[in-house]
Amino acid sequence: LSGGLRSPRRWPVPYRRFDYRPKTDPYCQARYTFCPTGSAIPVMKEEDVIEVYRLQAPVWEFKYGDLLGHLKIMHDAVGFKSSLTGKNYTMEWYELFQLGNCTFPHLRPGMDAPFWCNQGAACFYEGIDDAHWKANGTLVLVTTISGTMFNEMAQWVKHDNETGIYYETWTVQASPDKKSTVWFDSYECSKFILRTYQKLADLGAVFKKIQTNYTSIILFSGEPIYLGNETSIFGPQGNKTLAAAIRDFYSPFKPHQSVREFLMDLFKIIDRVILNHQFYLFYNLEYWFLPMKSPYLKIIYEEVPLPVGSKASFGV
């Protein structure tokens, strides 16, 4: 950890926003196309009354059914239905290159620094796939809004999408206790939905009183140690020892070609994370060392209440 220092920053470290979305590198390829039927968000008539639906289904439900639902690994979206046109719409936020690429880098020959294929973005398209959301998940009305509110939300979505461009898989906190310190917060599909609901509440929407739960993947760590950015670690004047340690840590997290290779890499991951209490986190384009501690990793399905609107708000 030579060259590292304890950061004086406040916790959790704020998610960094950017002025523009960079072009994607041709090296980064998704197994499934991002937002294949996406369209522009329509402008609604001011007098329209639009139903808002909470949508949730197991991750990769289209491929594995409810398998990941048993582990409470869920994907979230929001649906809209116009009373004037009768048209339905779905809006969600997810990875451009699938979850694995957003969570771990590629170690490319001839490149010292790990190479990240990591972007996330909003997707809006006409229609709600009722079977997808109802079969193993949730499709439930949560509020109604006016056309004016919808249009204002659409402007917010555009800004949110242009400035929040990187997917962050992990929530990192000090312990399983609900009041424990959160070092880093995730930035993924459920957080986009929560931000959308909050924006609608700020605009005046009144939400139904129903229970809403969301998935979080949590790493447990002592206070993180700031290490530096790509240039300071992997550049010409960088820290070769630290650079080698980071590359070595990420080496088992790669696509596996055989069962034997998978088992060998799994042993390496257990050795680094659990036996040696190590994890290198890339967050806001900076590297951090996490001194891992028990229980190391946990997937939770925790209730987050819908936001409360004002008495003068529009809604149900």
Side-chain angles (χ1 to χ4, degrees):
L1 297 179
S2 175
L5 54 95
R6 291 194 177 274
S7 172
R9 305 181 190 185
R10 63 184 177 88
W11 305 106
V13 172
Y15 175 83
R16 180 181 171 186
R17 289 187 171 271
F18 295 81
D19 294 331
Y20 65 95
R21 181 179 292 274
K23 292 183 178 179
T24 58
D25 192 292
Y27 178 85
C28 300
Q29 297 293 324
R31 184 173 182 181
Y32 298 100
T33 303
F34 173 82
C35 203
T37 60
S39 61
I41 302 178
V43 176
M44 300 293 190
K45 292 187 177 180
E46 295 181 1
E47 65 271 22
D48 202 349
V49 175
I50 298 163
E51 295 177 338
V52 182
Y53 292 87
R54 177 174 184 252
L55 309 178
Q56 187 177 70
V59 169
W60 289 55
E61 189 269 347
F62 67 93
K63 186 175 179 66
Y64 299 115
D66 67 344
L67 177 62
L68 293 177
H70 293 298
L71 300 175
K72 299 300 184 185
I73 302 177
M74 308 295 282
H75 173 66
D76 298 274
V78 59
F80 304 96
K81 181 179 180 180
S82 164
S83 64
L84 288 182
T85 66
K87 290 184 177 181
N88 297 326
Y89 303 93
T90 300
M91 185 171 72
E92 50 193 327
W93 196 94
Y94 56 101
E95 323 92 45
L96 270 65
F97 311 110
Q98 271 79 68
L99 182 60
N101 281 322
C102 290
T103 308
F104 297 107
H106 294 258
L107 301 180
R108 298 176 63 180
M111 296 180 66
D112 290 332
F115 184 82
W116 293 86
C117 291
N118 181 9
Q119 282 195 40
C123 176
F124 188 95
Y125 54 94
E126 186 173 340
I128 296 176
D129 185 350
D130 288 22
H132 170 70
W133 302 106
K134 285 183 177 179
N136 300 300
T138 300
L139 195 163
V140 61
L141 178 69
V142 291
T143 189
T144 57
I145 60 175
S146 67
T148 299
M149 293 162 62
F150 179 93
N151 295 335
E152 291 178 351
M153 178 209 70
Q155 291 301 312
W156 169 84
V157 168
K158 184 174 184 294
H159 177 266
D160 184 83
N161 193 53
E162 290 174 347
T163 60
I165 58 179
Y166 292 112
Y167 189 102
E168 300 291 352
T169 302
W170 311 108
T171 293
V172 185
Q173 62 186 57
S175 77
D177 188 276
K178 287 188 176 182
K179 295 183 179 180
S180 72
T181 300
V182 175
W183 309 118
F184 302 93
D185 208 351
S186 59
Y187 194 89
E188 26 74 0
C189 65
S190 68
K191 296 300 172 65
F192 173 74
I193 300 306
L194 289 168
R195 291 196 304 278
T196 301
Y197 288 159
Q198 186 59 60
K199 181 62 180 180
L200 292 177
D202 294 342
L203 292 172
V206 177
F207 286 86
K208 290 177 175 290
K209 294 181 179 179
I210 58 174
Q211 183 170 332
T212 51
N213 290 60
Y214 302 90
T215 300
S216 292
I217 305 177
I218 302 176
L219 299 177
F220 298 101
S221 163
E223 184 172 356
I225 300 170
Y226 175 71
L227 301 175
N229 59 27
E230 181 177 305
T231 301
S232 67
I233 297 172
F234 299 95
Q237 307 300 318
N239 185 324
K240 292 188 183 331
T241 302
L242 178 58
I246 293 175
R247 287 180 61 89
D248 182 64
F249 172 80
Y250 284 131
S251 63
F253 299 94
K254 63 180 183 295
H256 304 291
Q257 302 299 319
S258 69
V259 174
R260 181 176 178 273
E261 288 176 332
F262 170 76
L263 292 175
M264 289 180 63
D265 284 347
L266 180 62
F267 176 78
K268 292 177 183 177
I269 293 169
I270 293 172
D271 178 69
R272 287 160 171 73
V273 177
I274 297 179
L275 300 182
N276 289 302
H277 311 286
Q278 297 177 346
F279 196 99
Y280 288 93
L281 178 72
F282 190 59
Y283 192 93
N284 286 348
L285 305 184
E286 297 174 319
Y287 286 93
W288 299 76
F289 177 78
L290 305 182
M292 299 293 287
K293 60 184 184 180
S294 181
Y296 306 103
L297 181 146
K298 188 176 183 181
I299 298 172
I300 65 168
Y301 189 62
E302 188 173 44
E303 180 182 7
V304 180
L306 289 163
V308 177
S310 67
K311 292 181 180 180
S313 299
F314 180 97
V316 294

